[in-house]
């Protein structure tokens, strides 16, 4: 009997219509297009302006896009994994609501949160369920409405983040394709450098925490950048060494879209030519849990069956890692 691996068999995505450009940000905070572009590589980001719509709206749209393109029956989905740092609400799992809304009523569903590494960790989780042999179709969605936790008077964070969602379907494969290996890590030293201070059990909401804007994301940019550059590059290098891969063996790098300089550092460590490094950060900014599937969706037309793809991400906590996957299909 051939070994079961977990392969991506379909992708979908959704981004809101409203485009927040660097030029618009110039009218909101003390910054400019040249500074933002040179420091981050970001030109614009998408924002979900509807006050009555949350992350679930983005997730549902991305899942529906995948379902339509792959022509699958939602009733056949066994599990919906919702990777997000911005759930609709606390306690009530956003994934459960999304699963019901897309008609995946035979699936169980839950949320997975590891900041910007959420989707990467979700890939590992989805693959484990498939490889167990118990489940045949696992839908992994990465979605975040980052605008809901950004303080648009804070120029260090408001220039970075955008809203969006992407989804992938994992299914069993017996051809040796799909997820091959993973190198996942975390370090609690990052707890104070990238966070939302209030709203959790440590600092519950009060009038004071709201007035002090402690419910918005904050980061120590220099420290986060230093750790991200080192660890994302290290993880990618480790996954190559563990699998005896060279830069020639890698067809594409799919990196978390947080900062172009971090992506460049990772690609340089892997000694990859520019054409193999996939980026859409200039159009979407950092959509947190959605960056990796948005890249897959945008560049799906380039992938060929058997291609070697390396994923890499870094997020708050700190959380980070790299995944080695062989692509399982040619786009029709």
């Amino acid at each position: 009997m051939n070994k079961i691996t977990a392969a991506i068999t379909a992708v979908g995505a959704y981004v809101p219509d409203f485009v927040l450009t660097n030029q618009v940000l110039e009218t909101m905070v003390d910054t400019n297009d040249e500074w933002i572009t040179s420091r981050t590589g970001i030109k614009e980001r998408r924002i979900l302006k509807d006050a009555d719509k949350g992350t679930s709206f983005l997730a549902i749209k991305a899942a529906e896009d995948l379902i339509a393109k792959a022509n699958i029956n939602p009733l056949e989905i066994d599990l919906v994994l919702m990777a997000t740092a911005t759930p609709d609400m606390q306690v009530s799992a956003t994934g459960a609501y999304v699963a019901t809304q897309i008609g995946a009523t035979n699936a169980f569903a839950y949320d997975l949160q590891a900041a910007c590494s959420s989707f990467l960790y979700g890939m590992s989780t989805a693959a484990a369920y498939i490889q167990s042999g118990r489940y045949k179709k696992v839908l992994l969605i990465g979605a975040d409405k980052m605008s809901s936790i950004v303080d648009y008077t804070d120029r260090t964070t408001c220039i970075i983040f955008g809203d969006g969602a992407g989804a992938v379907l994992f299914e069993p494969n017996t051809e040796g394709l799909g997820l091959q290996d993973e190198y996942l890590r975390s370090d609690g030293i990052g707890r104070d450098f990238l966070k939302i201070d209030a709203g959790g059990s440590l600092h519950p909401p009060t009038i004071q925490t709201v007035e002090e804007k402690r419910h918005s994301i904050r980061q120590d940019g220099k420290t986060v950048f230093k750790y991200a550059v080192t660890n994302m590059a290290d993880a990618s290098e480790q996954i190559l060494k563990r699998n005896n891969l060279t830069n020639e063996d890698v067809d594409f790098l799919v990196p978390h879209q947080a900062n172009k300089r971090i992506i460049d550092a990772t690609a340089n460590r892997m000694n990859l030519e520019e054409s193999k490094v996939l980026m859409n950060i200039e159009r979407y900014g950092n959509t947190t849990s959605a960056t990796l599937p948005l890249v897959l969706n945008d560049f799906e037309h380039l992938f060929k069956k058997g291609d070697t793809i390396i994923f890499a991400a870094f997020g708050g906590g700190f959380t980070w890692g790299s995944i080695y996957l062989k692509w399982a299909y040619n786009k029709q």
Side-chain angles (χ1 to χ4, degrees), residues 232 250-260 263-264 266-267 270 272-284 291-304 307-312 327:
M232 218 166 107
V250 176
D251 293 295
F252 297 104
L253 171 67
V254 176
H256 170 52
Q257 310 286 301
N259 184 302
K260 186 179 183 296
I263 296 171
D264 289 343
T266 302
M270 297 170 70
L272 291 181
E273 56 192 73
E274 191 175 340
S275 62
K276 293 184 175 184
V277 184
L278 303 184
M279 280 190 278
N280 56 15
I281 188 172
E282 72 280 357
R283 290 187 289 130
Y284 304 135
T291 66
L292 297 182
L294 281 175
V295 170
L296 289 181
N297 186 75
D298 281 0
F299 294 97
E300 182 189 17
H301 63 283
L302 296 180
F303 304 148
K304 301 292 186 290
D307 277 356
T308 291
I309 301 178
I310 303 297
F311 295 79
W327 197 249

Side-chain angles (χ1 to χ4, degrees), residues 138-207:
V138 177
L139 180 64
L140 170 62
I141 306 169
D144 272 303
K145 184 182 179 182
M146 292 304 293
S147 61
S148 67
I149 57 171
V150 167
D151 174 5
Y152 284 95
T153 65
D154 176 16
R155 68 175 183 172
T156 65
T157 56
C158 73
I159 65 171
I160 298 170
F161 297 102
D163 303 338
V168 301
L169 184 69
F170 276 93
E171 294 187 271
N173 183 279
T174 55
E175 300 176 273
L177 303 173
L179 198 147
Q180 305 294 308
D181 195 16
E182 60 185 45
Y183 182 85
L184 304 178
R185 293 292 183 268
S186 62
D187 187 343
I189 195 172
R191 181 179 171 100
D192 291 327
F193 299 121
L194 179 54
K195 63 180 179 178
I196 294 177
D197 184 55
S201 60
L202 189 61
H203 301 294
T206 64
I207 292 174

Side-chain angles (χ1 to χ4, degrees), residues 29-48:
V29 290
D30 182 16
T31 191
N32 61 73
D33 173 66
E34 191 279 328
W35 191 91
I36 297 172
T37 304
S38 63
R39 294 300 183 96
T40 69
I42 302 168
K43 284 289 189 182
E44 57 190 40
R45 61 292 289 146
R46 300 298 185 96
I47 303 295
L48 181 59

Side-chain angles (χ1 to χ4, degrees), residues 37-267:
T37 304
S38 63
R39 294 300 183 96
T40 69
I42 302 168
K43 284 289 189 182
E44 57 190 40
R45 61 292 289 146
R46 300 298 185 96
I47 303 295
L48 181 59
K49 298 290 283 186
D50 308 58
D52 61 341
K53 291 183 173 66
T55 295
S56 62
F57 174 80
L58 302 169
I60 290 165
K61 288 289 190 180
E64 289 176 341
D65 181 52
L66 181 150
I67 289 167
K69 289 196 303 189
N71 193 28
I72 65 167
N73 183 349
L75 295 174
E76 295 177 356
I77 297 172
D78 301 306
L79 164 63
V80 175
L81 283 173
M82 180 74 192
T84 184
T86 55
D88 281 5
M89 58 186 75
Q90 293 195 55
V91 181
S92 181
T94 302
Y97 176 73
V98 170
T100 297
Q101 293 301 112
I102 64 173
T105 52
N106 290 323
F108 71 105
Y110 61 90
D111 297 354
L112 189 156
Q113 207 281 79
C116 290
S117 301
S118 295
F119 191 85
L120 190 79
Y121 282 22
M123 291 176 67
S124 171
T125 306
Y129 277 112
I130 293 292
Q131 290 162 0
S132 74
R134 293 182 180 180
Y135 305 101
K136 304 297 184 187
K137 284 182 168 61
V138 177
L139 180 64
L140 170 62
I141 306 169
D144 272 303
K145 184 182 179 182
M146 292 304 293
S147 61
S148 67
I149 57 171
V150 167
D151 174 5
Y152 284 95
T153 65
D154 176 16
R155 68 175 183 172
T156 65
T157 56
C158 73
I159 65 171
I160 298 170
F161 297 102
D163 303 338
V168 301
L169 184 69
F170 276 93
E171 294 187 271
N173 183 279
T174 55
E175 300 176 273
L177 303 173
L179 198 147
Q180 305 294 308
D181 195 16
E182 60 185 45
Y183 182 85
L184 304 178
R185 293 292 183 268
S186 62
D187 187 343
I189 195 172
R191 181 179 171 100
D192 291 327
F193 299 121
L194 179 54
K195 63 180 179 178
I196 294 177
D197 184 55
S201 60
L202 189 61
H203 301 294
T206 64
I207 292 174
Q208 183 177 358
T209 63
V210 173
E211 289 176 345
E212 293 175 351
K213 298 185 177 181
R214 291 169 61 191
H215 296 267
S216 298
I217 191 167
R218 306 291 179 193
Q219 70 170 356
D220 178 338
K222 289 183 179 179
T223 302
V224 172
F225 181 84
K226 180 183 72 173
Y227 275 93
V229 165
T230 301
N231 289 319
M232 218 166 107
D234 282 351
S236 302
E237 188 176 42
Q238 283 295 325
I239 206 80
L240 295 186
K241 285 182 177 179
R242 279 177 27 164
N243 293 278
N244 297 313
L245 298 171
T246 70
N247 62 322
E248 295 297 322
D249 298 316
V250 176
D251 293 295
F252 297 104
L253 171 67
V254 176
H256 170 52
Q257 310 286 301
N259 184 302
K260 186 179 183 296
R261 292 188 294 164
I262 297 172
I263 296 171
D264 289 343
T266 302

